[in-house]
Amino acid sequence: MRVRAVRGREVVLPRGLGIAALAAALVMGGLVTARLGLGDVRLTLAEGHATLNGPGVSGTFQADDGLTALVPGEIPWTDGSGTVHQGGRPACLWDRDPSDGMNRSTGARVQAGYRWVETPAGTSYPLVMWLRCP
């Protein structure tokens, strides 16, 4: 392999060294890509009280530290036994009223994972992405 230097001198590298340098660059690139965690979003965890406004509609989360965040009507959540549920209404936020069989939003003390979402207009707001029921 020949490389022309800036001052016009030619530098000759052994072929094996060029192949080794290329292999090392590929391995390092793969390691960096694997460690980046593309697509992963870290959530901020907080404890507080959550309620839903009705079946399939959004609600609110009020953190102990004062933060208020939007809770989507369908959200991934973990129940008290540690089972993860993908979507649906968290069971701890609803009770079935025995008098009429209707679900009522009671709310509950929960742990919530939220993140700040930025709008195209440049404003942002906290959005709950996951809940843990007691």
Side-chain angles (χ1 to χ4, degrees):
M1 171 185 265
R2 294 178 188 267
V3 179
R4 185 166 297 276
V6 177
R7 293 185 181 173
R9 292 187 305 168
E10 206 172 81
V11 177
V12 178
L13 296 175
R15 178 172 284 167
L17 183 60
I19 292 172
L22 178 61
L26 289 173
V27 168
M28 289 301 294
L31 288 173
V32 168
T33 301
R35 291 287 189 189
L36 283 178
L38 298 177
D40 291 344
V41 175
R42 298 262 183 226
L43 299 178
T44 302
L45 297 180
E47 291 190 15
H49 190 81
T51 58
L52 292 177
N53 297 327
V57 297
S58 64
T60 57
F61 169 71
Q62 181 69 48
D64 293 343
D65 66 5
L67 174 102
T68 300
L70 177 69
V71 177
E74 299 279 321
I75 186 171
W77 59 284
T78 304
D79 63 26
S81 67
T83 303
V84 177
H85 302 269
Q86 295 298 323
R89 297 177 311 208
C92 62
L93 303 183
W94 290 91
D95 278 336
R96 184 172 292 278
D97 187 335
S99 67
D100 60 11
M102 299 293 291
N103 285 334
R104 304 273 189 243
S105 175
T106 57
R109 184 147 180 82
V110 297
Q111 181 182 41
Y114 68 92
R115 67 175 293 224
W116 285 88
V117 178
E118 188 171 328
T119 67
T123 61
S124 62
Y125 63 94
L127 177 65
V128 173
M129 306 296 289
W130 167 84
L131 285 176
R132 178 187 309 273
C133 288

